[in-house]
Amino acid sequence: MRLNNQASKPRSSHDTEREFGGTLGALCIPIFLPLTVLFLICMSRSPEASVFQWPPLLPSSDELWDPLAPLLLLGWIAFHALLYLMPLGKVSEGLVLRDGTRLKYPINGFHGLCVTGVLLLLFLGLGAPLGHLFELLLPLAVSAVAMSFLLSVYLYIRSFWAPSHALALGGNTGNPLYDFFIGRELNPRIGNFDLKYFCELRPGLIGWVVINLGMLMKEVELRGSPSLAMLLVNSFQLLYVADALWNEEAVLTTMDIVHDGFGFMLVFGDLAWVPFTYGLQAAFLVVHPQTLSWLGAAVIVTLNGIGYYIFRKSNSQKNQFRREPTHPSVARLETIATATGKRLLVSGWWGLVRHPNYLGDLLMALAWSLPCGFSHIMPYFYVIYFAVLLIHREDRDERQCRTKYGIAWDTYCRRVPYRIFPYIY
Ligand code: NDP
C-alpha cells in the first residue's frame, strides 16, 4: 500500500501534491457544487429541463426552505446511526494503519437497507405520503448541504486534537482552505463510531433509493401507476445500492477509506451530491413521462446487466486476489511481482483494461439514463459527470500506483495499454 510503502521513507504530508486544483479548487468547489445540486434539481423538474436555459431558473425562497426538511434529515441520519450501532452482521478489520493498528468496522449496511425497506413498506401500507418527497427535494438538498458544511467544520476543528499518525498524508498541508476541503483526519471516530465509514454508504446511498421511491409514488399519484421507465430507473439504482451494501466490506480497501481524509469533499459527496444528483432521472420522469417500448426496455436491461456483470466480476476478482491470492478462482491468473511484495494481475478482467470496474460502472450509468429518452440532455448528466469523475479518479489511482509499484506498474501499463475502454482509452 502507498501508506505502508511510505513508512520506510517517512515524508511530511506537507510536501504531498495538491489535488482537485489545489487552493483554488478548494475555494471554488464548495461554492459551486452545492449550487449545482440545487440547479440540477430545479432543472430536472422544470417543463423545459434545459441545462442551457439562460437566465437559469431560480427557485423562490419558499421552494428552498421547509422546516420539515432538516427534521426529516436529522431523523434519517439518527435512524441509520442507530442501525449502525445494532449488533447485526459481522465485524471486520480495516487495513493496517501507519501506527500498526487495525480498526474494526461493523458490516451491517445491508441489514440497514432491509430494515429501511420493511419500514417503508409498512409506512406506505399505512398511507404515508412518500410522493411528497418530490416537493421536499429542494429543501432537503439545502438541509443536506448545510449539514455537510457543519459536519466538515466539526471534522476540521477536531482533527487538531488527533495524533499525527491519524492524519491523512494528503490533508495536512497547513493551508486551512485546502485541508478543510480534502480532509485532515483519516478515520475520525466518536468512540467506536466511525464517521467516514458511516457516511460512505449509509444515509446518502440508502437515501438516494428512498428519494427514487418517492418519485415513483409521485408518479403513481399523478398518473395512477408507475411507468416502465420509472420502474427501470428505480430497479437499476436499487440493484446498485443493494450491491454496494451487500459488498460493504470491500469499501474498507477503497481509496476513500484507506487514503483520503474525511473533509468537505467526502462529506458533501456522501450526504448531498450522491442522494440528490445520482437519481435525478426519477425526478425528471415525474415531469417528463416517457413511453418505452418492451424492445427498448429489453435492450436497456441487457446493457445494465452487462455493465453490472463486468463491474461485479472485476471488483470481486481483485478483492479476492488481494484477500487470498491462492484462492482457486484467482490462483491461475497471470501476475507480475512488485517490490512491495504484492503482485499485480495482468490477466482476467484486470488484463482487459487497467480499470475494468470503471467500464462496467459507466455502462450501467448509461443504462440509467436511456429510459429518459433522447429529447433532453439533463437525464444524461449523471453518465457525463461520472465519466469525468472516473477518468479523473483513474488518473489519481495511476499516479498512486506508480508511486507504490514503480517499474512494475510501468510493466503492467505496457502489458495492459488501455485504461478504461478497450482500444479507445
Ligand atoms: P479500485 O477498486 O479500482 O481499486 C484501485 C486499486 O486496485 C489500486 O490502487 C490498486 O491497489 C489495485 N489494483 C489496480 N490494478 C490492479 C491489478 N492489476 N491487480 C491487482 N490490484 C490492482 O478503486 P475505486 O475505489 O476507485 O473503485 C471501486 C469501485 O467503486 C469501482 O467499481 C468504481 O467504479 C466504484 N466507484 C463508484 C463511485 C460512484 O460514485 N458511484 C465513485 C468511485 C468509485 P493495491 O495494489 O494497493 O491493492
CSV table of all heavy atoms in Angstrom, one decimal, residues 19-20 255-256 259-260 318 344 349-350 352-362 385-404 409 412-414 416-422 424-425:
chain,number,residue,atom,x,y,z
A,19,GLU,N,-4.4,18.1,-4.8
A,19,GLU,CA,-5.3,17.6,-5.8
A,19,GLU,C,-6.5,18.5,-6.0
A,19,GLU,O,-6.7,19.5,-5.2
A,19,GLU,CB,-5.8,16.2,-5.4
A,19,GLU,CG,-4.6,15.3,-5.3
A,19,GLU,CD,-5.0,13.9,-4.9
A,19,GLU,OE1,-5.3,13.7,-3.7
A,19,GLU,OE2,-4.9,13.0,-5.7
A,20,PHE,N,-7.4,18.2,-7.0
A,20,PHE,CA,-8.6,19.0,-7.2
A,20,PHE,C,-8.3,20.5,-7.4
A,20,PHE,O,-9.1,21.3,-6.9
A,20,PHE,CB,-9.6,18.8,-6.1
A,20,PHE,CG,-10.1,17.3,-6.0
A,20,PHE,CD1,-9.5,16.5,-5.1
A,20,PHE,CD2,-11.1,16.9,-6.9
A,20,PHE,CE1,-9.9,15.1,-5.0
A,20,PHE,CE2,-11.5,15.5,-6.8
A,20,PHE,CZ,-10.9,14.7,-5.9
A,255,MET,N,-9.9,3.8,-1.9
A,255,MET,CA,-9.1,5.0,-1.7
A,255,MET,C,-9.8,5.9,-0.7
A,255,MET,O,-9.1,6.5,0.1
A,255,MET,CB,-9.1,5.8,-3.1
A,255,MET,CG,-8.0,5.5,-4.0
A,255,MET,SD,-7.9,6.9,-5.2
A,255,MET,CE,-8.9,6.3,-6.5
A,256,ASP,N,-11.1,6.0,-0.7
A,256,ASP,CA,-11.8,6.9,0.2
A,256,ASP,C,-11.5,6.5,1.7
A,256,ASP,O,-11.2,7.4,2.5
A,256,ASP,CB,-13.3,6.7,0.0
A,256,ASP,CG,-13.8,7.3,-1.3
A,256,ASP,OD1,-12.9,7.8,-2.1
A,256,ASP,OD2,-15.0,7.3,-1.5
A,259,HIS,N,-7.0,6.1,2.0
A,259,HIS,CA,-6.1,7.2,1.6
A,259,HIS,C,-6.6,8.6,1.9
A,259,HIS,O,-5.9,9.4,2.4
A,259,HIS,CB,-5.8,7.0,0.1
A,259,HIS,CG,-5.1,8.1,-0.5
A,259,HIS,ND1,-5.6,9.2,-1.2
A,259,HIS,CD2,-3.8,8.4,-0.4
A,259,HIS,CE1,-4.7,10.0,-1.6
A,259,HIS,NE2,-3.6,9.6,-1.1
A,260,ASP,N,-7.9,8.8,1.7
A,260,ASP,CA,-8.4,10.2,1.8
A,260,ASP,C,-8.8,10.5,3.2
A,260,ASP,O,-9.5,9.7,3.9
A,260,ASP,CB,-9.6,10.4,0.9
A,260,ASP,CG,-9.2,10.3,-0.6
A,260,ASP,OD1,-8.1,10.6,-0.9
A,260,ASP,OD2,-10.1,9.9,-1.4
A,318,LYS,N,-10.6,-8.7,-8.1
A,318,LYS,CA,-9.5,-8.0,-7.4
A,318,LYS,C,-9.5,-8.2,-5.9
A,318,LYS,O,-8.5,-8.4,-5.2
A,318,LYS,CB,-9.4,-6.6,-7.8
A,318,LYS,CG,-8.3,-5.8,-7.1
A,318,LYS,CD,-8.1,-4.4,-7.6
A,318,LYS,CE,-9.3,-3.5,-7.3
A,318,LYS,NZ,-9.5,-3.2,-5.9
A,344,LEU,N,0.6,-7.8,-9.1
A,344,LEU,CA,-0.5,-7.2,-9.9
A,344,LEU,C,-1.0,-8.2,-10.9
A,344,LEU,O,-0.3,-8.9,-11.5
A,344,LEU,CB,0.1,-6.0,-10.7
A,344,LEU,CG,0.5,-4.8,-9.8
A,344,LEU,CD1,1.3,-3.8,-10.7
A,344,LEU,CD2,-0.8,-4.1,-9.3
A,349,TRP,N,-10.0,-10.1,-15.8
A,349,TRP,CA,-10.6,-8.8,-16.0
A,349,TRP,C,-9.5,-7.7,-16.0
A,349,TRP,O,-9.6,-6.7,-16.8
A,349,TRP,CB,-11.6,-8.5,-15.0
A,349,TRP,CG,-12.9,-9.3,-15.1
A,349,TRP,CD1,-13.2,-10.4,-14.4
A,349,TRP,CD2,-13.9,-9.2,-16.1
A,349,TRP,NE1,-14.4,-11.0,-14.9
A,349,TRP,CE2,-14.8,-10.2,-15.9
A,349,TRP,CE3,-14.0,-8.3,-17.2
A,349,TRP,CZ2,-15.9,-10.4,-16.7
A,349,TRP,CZ3,-15.2,-8.5,-18.0
A,349,TRP,CH2,-16.1,-9.5,-17.8
A,350,TRP,N,-8.5,-7.8,-15.1
A,350,TRP,CA,-7.5,-6.7,-15.0
A,350,TRP,C,-6.5,-6.8,-16.1
A,350,TRP,O,-5.5,-6.0,-16.1
A,350,TRP,CB,-6.9,-6.8,-13.6
A,350,TRP,CG,-8.1,-6.4,-12.6
A,350,TRP,CD1,-9.0,-7.3,-12.2
A,350,TRP,CD2,-8.4,-5.2,-12.1
A,350,TRP,NE1,-9.9,-6.6,-11.4
A,350,TRP,CE2,-9.6,-5.3,-11.3
A,350,TRP,CE3,-7.9,-3.9,-12.2
A,350,TRP,CZ2,-10.2,-4.3,-10.6
A,350,TRP,CZ3,-8.5,-2.8,-11.5
A,350,TRP,CH2,-9.6,-3.0,-10.7
A,352,LEU,N,-7.8,-7.0,-19.3
A,352,LEU,CA,-8.5,-6.4,-20.4
A,352,LEU,C,-8.3,-4.9,-20.5
A,352,LEU,O,-7.9,-4.4,-21.5
A,352,LEU,CB,-10.0,-6.7,-20.1
A,352,LEU,CG,-11.0,-6.1,-21.1
A,352,LEU,CD1,-11.0,-6.8,-22.4
A,352,LEU,CD2,-12.5,-6.1,-20.5
A,353,VAL,N,-8.5,-4.2,-19.4
A,353,VAL,CA,-8.1,-2.8,-19.3
A,353,VAL,C,-7.6,-2.6,-17.8
A,353,VAL,O,-7.8,-3.5,-17.0
A,353,VAL,CB,-9.3,-1.9,-19.5
A,353,VAL,CG1,-9.6,-1.7,-21.0
A,353,VAL,CG2,-10.5,-2.3,-18.7
A,354,ARG,N,-7.1,-1.4,-17.5
A,354,ARG,CA,-6.5,-1.3,-16.2
A,354,ARG,C,-7.6,-0.9,-15.1
A,354,ARG,O,-7.3,-1.0,-13.9
A,354,ARG,CB,-5.4,-0.2,-16.2
A,354,ARG,CG,-4.2,-0.6,-17.2
A,354,ARG,CD,-2.9,0.1,-16.8
A,354,ARG,NE,-2.9,1.5,-17.0
A,354,ARG,CZ,-2.6,2.1,-18.1
A,354,ARG,NH1,-2.2,1.4,-19.2
A,354,ARG,NH2,-2.6,3.4,-18.2
A,355,HIS,N,-8.8,-0.6,-15.6
A,355,HIS,CA,-9.9,-0.3,-14.7
A,355,HIS,C,-11.2,-0.9,-15.2
A,355,HIS,O,-12.1,-0.2,-15.6
A,355,HIS,CB,-10.0,1.1,-14.3
A,355,HIS,CG,-9.3,1.5,-13.1
A,355,HIS,ND1,-8.0,2.0,-13.1
A,355,HIS,CD2,-9.6,1.4,-11.7
A,355,HIS,CE1,-7.6,2.2,-11.8
A,355,HIS,NE2,-8.6,1.8,-11.0
A,356,PRO,N,-11.3,-2.3,-15.3
A,356,PRO,CA,-12.5,-2.8,-15.9
A,356,PRO,C,-13.7,-2.5,-15.0
A,356,PRO,O,-14.8,-2.4,-15.5
A,356,PRO,CB,-12.2,-4.3,-15.8
A,356,PRO,CG,-11.1,-4.5,-14.8
A,356,PRO,CD,-10.3,-3.3,-14.8
A,357,ASN,N,-13.5,-2.3,-13.7
A,357,ASN,CA,-14.7,-2.0,-12.8
A,357,ASN,C,-15.3,-0.6,-13.2
A,357,ASN,O,-16.5,-0.4,-13.2
A,357,ASN,CB,-14.3,-2.0,-11.3
A,357,ASN,CG,-13.0,-1.3,-11.0
A,357,ASN,OD1,-12.3,-0.8,-12.0
A,357,ASN,ND2,-12.6,-1.1,-9.8
A,358,TYR,N,-14.4,0.3,-13.7
A,358,TYR,CA,-15.0,1.6,-14.1
A,358,TYR,C,-15.8,1.5,-15.4
A,358,TYR,O,-16.8,2.1,-15.6
A,358,TYR,CB,-13.8,2.6,-14.3
A,358,TYR,CG,-13.1,3.1,-13.1
A,358,TYR,CD1,-13.5,2.6,-11.8
A,358,TYR,CD2,-12.1,4.0,-13.1
A,358,TYR,CE1,-12.8,3.0,-10.7
A,358,TYR,CE2,-11.4,4.5,-12.0
A,358,TYR,CZ,-11.8,4.0,-10.8
A,358,TYR,OH,-11.1,4.4,-9.6
A,359,LEU,N,-15.3,0.6,-16.3
A,359,LEU,CA,-16.0,0.3,-17.5
A,359,LEU,C,-17.4,-0.2,-17.3
A,359,LEU,O,-18.4,0.4,-17.8
A,359,LEU,CB,-15.2,-0.7,-18.4
A,359,LEU,CG,-15.9,-1.2,-19.6
A,359,LEU,CD1,-16.1,-0.1,-20.7
A,359,LEU,CD2,-15.1,-2.4,-20.3
A,360,GLY,N,-17.5,-1.2,-16.4
A,360,GLY,CA,-18.9,-1.7,-16.0
A,360,GLY,C,-19.8,-0.6,-15.4
A,360,GLY,O,-20.9,-0.5,-15.7
A,361,ASP,N,-19.2,0.2,-14.5
A,361,ASP,CA,-19.9,1.2,-13.8
A,361,ASP,C,-20.5,2.2,-14.9
A,361,ASP,O,-21.6,2.7,-14.8
A,361,ASP,CB,-19.0,1.9,-12.9
A,361,ASP,CG,-19.6,2.2,-11.5
A,361,ASP,OD1,-20.9,2.2,-11.5
A,361,ASP,OD2,-18.9,2.4,-10.5
A,362,LEU,N,-19.7,2.5,-15.9
A,362,LEU,CA,-20.1,3.5,-16.9
A,362,LEU,C,-21.2,3.0,-17.8
A,362,LEU,O,-22.1,3.7,-18.1
A,362,LEU,CB,-18.9,4.0,-17.7
A,362,LEU,CG,-18.0,5.0,-17.0
A,362,LEU,CD1,-16.7,5.2,-17.7
A,362,LEU,CD2,-18.7,6.3,-16.8
A,385,TYR,N,-21.1,13.3,-16.1
A,385,TYR,CA,-20.4,13.6,-14.9
A,385,TYR,C,-19.5,12.4,-14.4
A,385,TYR,O,-18.3,12.6,-14.0
A,385,TYR,CB,-21.3,14.1,-13.7
A,385,TYR,CG,-20.9,13.6,-12.4
A,385,TYR,CD1,-19.9,14.3,-11.7
A,385,TYR,CD2,-21.4,12.5,-11.8
A,385,TYR,CE1,-19.5,13.9,-10.4
A,385,TYR,CE2,-21.0,12.1,-10.6
A,385,TYR,CZ,-20.0,12.8,-9.9
A,385,TYR,OH,-19.6,12.3,-8.7
A,386,PHE,N,-20.1,11.3,-14.4
A,386,PHE,CA,-19.5,10.1,-13.9
A,386,PHE,C,-18.3,9.7,-14.8
A,386,PHE,O,-17.2,9.2,-14.3
A,386,PHE,CB,-20.5,8.9,-13.9
A,386,PHE,CG,-20.1,7.8,-12.9
A,386,PHE,CD1,-19.6,8.1,-11.7
A,386,PHE,CD2,-20.3,6.5,-13.3
A,386,PHE,CE1,-19.3,7.1,-10.8
A,386,PHE,CE2,-20.0,5.5,-12.4
A,386,PHE,CZ,-19.5,5.7,-11.2
A,387,ALA,N,-18.4,9.9,-16.1
A,387,ALA,CA,-17.2,9.6,-17.0
A,387,ALA,C,-16.1,10.5,-16.6
A,387,ALA,O,-14.9,10.1,-16.5
A,387,ALA,CB,-17.7,9.8,-18.4
A,388,VAL,N,-16.4,11.8,-16.4
A,388,VAL,CA,-15.3,12.8,-16.0
A,388,VAL,C,-14.7,12.3,-14.6
A,388,VAL,O,-13.5,12.3,-14.5
A,388,VAL,CB,-15.9,14.2,-15.9
A,388,VAL,CG1,-14.9,15.2,-15.4
A,388,VAL,CG2,-16.4,14.6,-17.3
A,389,LEU,N,-15.6,12.0,-13.7
A,389,LEU,CA,-15.1,11.6,-12.3
A,389,LEU,C,-14.2,10.4,-12.4
A,389,LEU,O,-13.1,10.3,-11.8
A,389,LEU,CB,-16.3,11.3,-11.4
A,389,LEU,CG,-15.9,10.7,-10.0
A,389,LEU,CD1,-16.5,11.7,-9.0
A,389,LEU,CD2,-16.5,9.3,-9.8
A,390,LEU,N,-14.7,9.4,-13.2
A,390,LEU,CA,-13.9,8.1,-13.2
A,390,LEU,C,-12.6,8.3,-14.0
A,390,LEU,O,-11.6,7.7,-13.6
A,390,LEU,CB,-14.7,7.0,-13.8
A,390,LEU,CG,-15.8,6.5,-12.8
A,390,LEU,CD1,-16.5,5.2,-13.4
A,390,LEU,CD2,-15.3,6.1,-11.4
A,391,ILE,N,-12.6,9.1,-15.0
A,391,ILE,CA,-11.3,9.4,-15.8
A,391,ILE,C,-10.4,10.1,-14.8
A,391,ILE,O,-9.2,9.8,-14.7
A,391,ILE,CB,-11.6,10.2,-17.0
A,391,ILE,CG1,-12.3,9.2,-18.1
A,391,ILE,CG2,-10.3,10.8,-17.6
A,391,ILE,CD1,-12.8,9.9,-19.3
A,392,HIS,N,-10.9,11.0,-14.0
A,392,HIS,CA,-10.0,11.8,-13.1
A,392,HIS,C,-9.5,10.8,-12.0
A,392,HIS,O,-8.4,10.8,-11.6
A,392,HIS,CB,-10.8,12.9,-12.5
A,392,HIS,CG,-10.0,13.7,-11.4
A,392,HIS,ND1,-10.4,13.6,-10.1
A,392,HIS,CD2,-8.9,14.5,-11.5
A,392,HIS,CE1,-9.5,14.4,-9.4
A,392,HIS,NE2,-8.7,14.9,-10.2
A,393,ARG,N,-10.5,10.0,-11.5
A,393,ARG,CA,-10.1,9.0,-10.4
A,393,ARG,C,-9.1,8.0,-10.9
A,393,ARG,O,-8.2,7.7,-10.2
A,393,ARG,CB,-11.4,8.4,-10.0
A,393,ARG,CG,-11.3,7.6,-8.6
A,393,ARG,CD,-12.7,7.1,-8.3
A,393,ARG,NE,-12.6,6.2,-7.1
A,393,ARG,CZ,-12.8,6.6,-5.9
A,393,ARG,NH1,-13.1,7.8,-5.6
A,393,ARG,NH2,-12.7,5.7,-4.9
A,394,GLU,N,-9.3,7.6,-12.1
A,394,GLU,CA,-8.3,6.6,-12.7
A,394,GLU,C,-6.9,7.2,-12.7
A,394,GLU,O,-6.0,6.6,-12.4
A,394,GLU,CB,-8.8,6.2,-14.1
A,394,GLU,CG,-8.3,4.9,-14.6
A,394,GLU,CD,-7.0,5.0,-15.2
A,394,GLU,OE1,-6.5,6.1,-15.6
A,394,GLU,OE2,-6.3,3.9,-15.4
A,395,ASP,N,-6.9,8.5,-13.1
A,395,ASP,CA,-5.6,9.2,-13.2
A,395,ASP,C,-5.0,9.3,-11.8
A,395,ASP,O,-3.8,9.1,-11.7
A,395,ASP,CB,-5.9,10.6,-13.8
A,395,ASP,CG,-4.6,11.2,-14.2
A,395,ASP,OD1,-3.8,10.6,-15.0
A,395,ASP,OD2,-4.3,12.3,-13.7
A,396,ARG,N,-5.8,9.6,-10.8
A,396,ARG,CA,-5.3,9.7,-9.4
A,396,ARG,C,-4.7,8.4,-9.0
A,396,ARG,O,-3.7,8.3,-8.4
A,396,ARG,CB,-6.4,10.0,-8.5
A,396,ARG,CG,-6.8,11.5,-8.4
A,396,ARG,CD,-7.9,11.6,-7.3
A,396,ARG,NE,-7.4,11.8,-6.0
A,396,ARG,CZ,-8.1,11.5,-4.9
A,396,ARG,NH1,-9.3,11.0,-4.9
A,396,ARG,NH2,-7.6,11.7,-3.7
A,397,ASP,N,-5.5,7.3,-9.3
A,397,ASP,CA,-5.1,6.0,-8.9
A,397,ASP,C,-3.8,5.5,-9.6
A,397,ASP,O,-2.9,4.9,-9.0
A,397,ASP,CB,-6.2,5.0,-9.2
A,397,ASP,CG,-6.0,3.6,-8.5
A,397,ASP,OD1,-5.6,3.7,-7.3
A,397,ASP,OD2,-6.1,2.6,-9.2
A,398,GLU,N,-3.7,5.9,-10.9
A,398,GLU,CA,-2.5,5.5,-11.6
A,398,GLU,C,-1.3,6.2,-11.0
A,398,GLU,O,-0.2,5.5,-10.8
A,398,GLU,CB,-2.6,6.0,-13.1
A,398,GLU,CG,-3.6,5.3,-13.9
A,398,GLU,CD,-3.0,4.3,-14.8
A,398,GLU,OE1,-1.8,4.5,-15.2
A,398,GLU,OE2,-3.7,3.3,-15.2
A,399,ARG,N,-1.4,7.4,-10.6
A,399,ARG,CA,-0.3,8.1,-10.0
A,399,ARG,C,0.1,7.5,-8.7
A,399,ARG,O,1.3,7.3,-8.4
A,399,ARG,CB,-0.6,9.6,-9.8
A,399,ARG,CG,-0.3,10.4,-11.1
A,399,ARG,CD,-0.5,11.9,-10.9
A,399,ARG,NE,-1.9,12.3,-11.0
A,399,ARG,CZ,-2.5,13.0,-10.1
A,399,ARG,NH1,-1.9,13.4,-9.0
A,399,ARG,NH2,-3.8,13.3,-10.3
A,400,GLN,N,-0.9,7.1,-7.9
A,400,GLN,CA,-0.6,6.5,-6.6
A,400,GLN,C,0.0,5.1,-6.8
A,400,GLN,O,0.9,4.7,-6.1
A,400,GLN,CB,-1.9,6.3,-5.8
A,400,GLN,CG,-2.4,7.7,-5.2
A,400,GLN,CD,-3.8,7.6,-4.6
A,400,GLN,OE1,-4.2,6.5,-4.2
A,400,GLN,NE2,-4.4,8.7,-4.5
A,401,CYS,N,-0.5,4.4,-7.8
A,401,CYS,CA,0.1,3.0,-8.1
A,401,CYS,C,1.5,3.2,-8.6
A,401,CYS,O,2.4,2.3,-8.3
A,401,CYS,CB,-0.8,2.3,-9.1
A,401,CYS,SG,-2.3,1.7,-8.4
A,402,ARG,N,1.8,4.2,-9.4
A,402,ARG,CA,3.2,4.4,-9.9
A,402,ARG,C,4.1,4.6,-8.8
A,402,ARG,O,5.2,4.2,-8.7
A,402,ARG,CB,3.2,5.5,-11.0
A,402,ARG,CG,4.5,5.7,-11.7
A,402,ARG,CD,4.4,6.3,-13.0
A,402,ARG,NE,3.9,5.4,-14.0
A,402,ARG,CZ,2.8,5.6,-14.7
A,402,ARG,NH1,2.0,6.6,-14.4
A,402,ARG,NH2,2.4,4.8,-15.6
A,403,THR,N,3.6,5.5,-7.8
A,403,THR,CA,4.5,5.7,-6.6
A,403,THR,C,4.7,4.4,-5.8
A,403,THR,O,5.8,4.2,-5.4
A,403,THR,CB,3.7,6.8,-5.7
A,403,THR,OG1,3.3,7.8,-6.5
A,403,THR,CG2,4.6,7.3,-4.6
A,404,LYS,N,3.6,3.6,-5.7
A,404,LYS,CA,3.7,2.4,-4.9
A,404,LYS,C,4.6,1.4,-5.6
A,404,LYS,O,5.4,0.7,-5.0
A,404,LYS,CB,2.3,1.8,-4.8
A,404,LYS,CG,1.5,2.2,-3.6
A,404,LYS,CD,0.2,1.4,-3.5
A,404,LYS,CE,-0.9,1.8,-4.4
A,404,LYS,NZ,-2.2,1.2,-4.2
A,409,TRP,N,4.7,-1.1,-12.2
A,409,TRP,CA,3.5,-0.5,-12.7
A,409,TRP,C,3.7,-0.2,-14.2
A,409,TRP,O,2.8,-0.3,-15.0
A,409,TRP,CB,3.1,0.7,-11.9
A,409,TRP,CG,1.8,1.3,-12.3
A,409,TRP,CD1,1.6,2.4,-13.1
A,409,TRP,CD2,0.5,0.7,-12.1
A,409,TRP,NE1,0.2,2.5,-13.4
A,409,TRP,CE2,-0.5,1.6,-12.7
A,409,TRP,CE3,0.0,-0.4,-11.3
A,409,TRP,CZ2,-1.8,1.3,-12.6
A,409,TRP,CZ3,-1.3,-0.6,-11.3
A,409,TRP,CH2,-2.2,0.2,-11.9
A,412,TYR,N,3.2,-3.2,-16.1
A,412,TYR,CA,1.7,-3.5,-16.2
A,412,TYR,C,1.1,-2.7,-17.3
A,412,TYR,O,0.3,-3.1,-18.1
A,412,TYR,CB,1.1,-3.3,-14.8
A,412,TYR,CG,-0.4,-3.4,-14.8
A,412,TYR,CD1,-1.1,-4.6,-15.3
A,412,TYR,CD2,-1.3,-2.5,-14.2
A,412,TYR,CE1,-2.4,-4.7,-15.3
A,412,TYR,CE2,-2.6,-2.6,-14.2
A,412,TYR,CZ,-3.2,-3.7,-14.7
A,412,TYR,OH,-4.6,-3.9,-14.7
A,413,CYS,N,1.4,-1.4,-17.3
A,413,CYS,CA,0.9,-0.5,-18.3
A,413,CYS,C,1.2,-0.9,-19.7
A,413,CYS,O,0.5,-0.7,-20.7
A,413,CYS,CB,1.3,1.0,-18.1
A,413,CYS,SG,0.7,1.6,-16.5
A,414,ARG,N,2.4,-1.4,-19.9
A,414,ARG,CA,2.8,-1.9,-21.2
A,414,ARG,C,2.0,-3.1,-21.6
A,414,ARG,O,1.6,-3.3,-22.7
A,414,ARG,CB,4.3,-2.2,-21.3
A,414,ARG,CG,5.2,-0.9,-21.6
A,414,ARG,CD,6.6,-1.3,-22.0
A,414,ARG,NE,7.3,-2.1,-21.0
A,414,ARG,CZ,7.9,-1.6,-19.9
A,414,ARG,NH1,7.9,-0.3,-19.7
A,414,ARG,NH2,8.5,-2.4,-19.0
A,416,VAL,N,-0.9,-4.0,-20.4
A,416,VAL,CA,-2.4,-3.7,-20.5
A,416,VAL,C,-2.5,-2.2,-20.8
A,416,VAL,O,-2.6,-1.3,-20.0
A,416,VAL,CB,-3.1,-4.0,-19.2
A,416,VAL,CG1,-4.6,-3.8,-19.3
A,416,VAL,CG2,-2.8,-5.4,-18.7
A,417,PRO,N,-2.4,-1.9,-22.1
A,417,PRO,CA,-2.2,-0.4,-22.5
A,417,PRO,C,-3.4,0.4,-22.3
A,417,PRO,O,-3.3,1.6,-22.2
A,417,PRO,CB,-1.8,-0.5,-24.0
A,417,PRO,CG,-2.3,-1.8,-24.5
A,417,PRO,CD,-2.3,-2.8,-23.3
A,418,TYR,N,-4.6,-0.1,-22.3
A,418,TYR,CA,-5.8,0.7,-22.2
A,418,TYR,C,-6.3,0.9,-20.7
A,418,TYR,O,-6.2,-0.1,-20.0
A,418,TYR,CB,-7.0,0.2,-23.1
A,418,TYR,CG,-6.6,0.3,-24.5
A,418,TYR,CD1,-6.1,-0.8,-25.2
A,418,TYR,CD2,-6.6,1.5,-25.2
A,418,TYR,CE1,-5.7,-0.7,-26.5
A,418,TYR,CE2,-6.2,1.7,-26.5
A,418,TYR,CZ,-5.7,0.5,-27.2
A,418,TYR,OH,-5.3,0.7,-28.5
A,419,ARG,N,-6.7,2.1,-20.4
A,419,ARG,CA,-7.1,2.4,-19.0
A,419,ARG,C,-8.5,1.9,-18.7
A,419,ARG,O,-8.7,1.2,-17.7
A,419,ARG,CB,-7.0,3.9,-18.8
A,419,ARG,CG,-5.6,4.5,-18.8
A,419,ARG,CD,-5.7,6.0,-18.9
A,419,ARG,NE,-4.4,6.6,-19.1
A,419,ARG,CZ,-3.8,7.3,-18.1
A,419,ARG,NH1,-4.4,7.5,-17.0
A,419,ARG,NH2,-2.6,7.8,-18.3
A,420,ILE,N,-9.5,2.4,-19.5
A,420,ILE,CA,-10.9,2.0,-19.1
A,420,ILE,C,-11.7,1.4,-20.3
A,420,ILE,O,-12.3,0.4,-20.1
A,420,ILE,CB,-11.7,3.3,-18.7
A,420,ILE,CG1,-11.0,4.0,-17.5
A,420,ILE,CG2,-13.2,3.0,-18.4
A,420,ILE,CD1,-11.7,5.2,-17.0
A,421,PHE,N,-11.5,2.0,-21.5
A,421,PHE,CA,-12.3,1.5,-22.7
A,421,PHE,C,-11.3,0.7,-23.6
A,421,PHE,O,-10.4,1.3,-24.1
A,421,PHE,CB,-12.9,2.6,-23.4
A,421,PHE,CG,-13.9,3.4,-22.6
A,421,PHE,CD1,-13.5,4.7,-22.1
A,421,PHE,CD2,-15.1,3.0,-22.3
A,421,PHE,CE1,-14.3,5.4,-21.3
A,421,PHE,CE2,-16.0,3.7,-21.5
A,421,PHE,CZ,-15.6,4.9,-21.0
A,422,PRO,N,-11.5,-0.6,-23.8
A,422,PRO,CA,-10.6,-1.3,-24.7
A,422,PRO,C,-10.5,-0.7,-26.1
A,422,PRO,O,-11.5,-0.3,-26.6
A,422,PRO,CB,-11.3,-2.7,-24.8
A,422,PRO,CG,-12.3,-2.8,-23.7
A,422,PRO,CD,-12.6,-1.4,-23.3
A,424,ILE,N,-9.8,2.2,-27.0
A,424,ILE,CA,-10.2,3.6,-27.1
A,424,ILE,C,-9.4,4.4,-26.1
A,424,ILE,O,-8.8,5.4,-26.5
A,424,ILE,CB,-11.8,3.8,-26.8
A,424,ILE,CG1,-12.6,2.9,-27.8
A,424,ILE,CG2,-12.2,5.2,-26.9
A,424,ILE,CD1,-14.1,2.9,-27.6
A,425,TYR,N,-9.5,4.1,-24.8
A,425,TYR,CA,-8.8,4.9,-23.8
A,425,TYR,C,-8.2,4.1,-22.7
A,425,TYR,O,-8.9,3.3,-22.1
A,425,TYR,CB,-9.9,5.9,-23.2
A,425,TYR,CG,-9.3,6.7,-22.1
A,425,TYR,CD1,-8.5,7.8,-22.3
A,425,TYR,CD2,-9.6,6.4,-20.7
A,425,TYR,CE1,-7.9,8.6,-21.3
A,425,TYR,CE2,-9.1,7.2,-19.7
A,425,TYR,CZ,-8.2,8.3,-20.0
A,425,TYR,OH,-7.7,9.0,-19.0
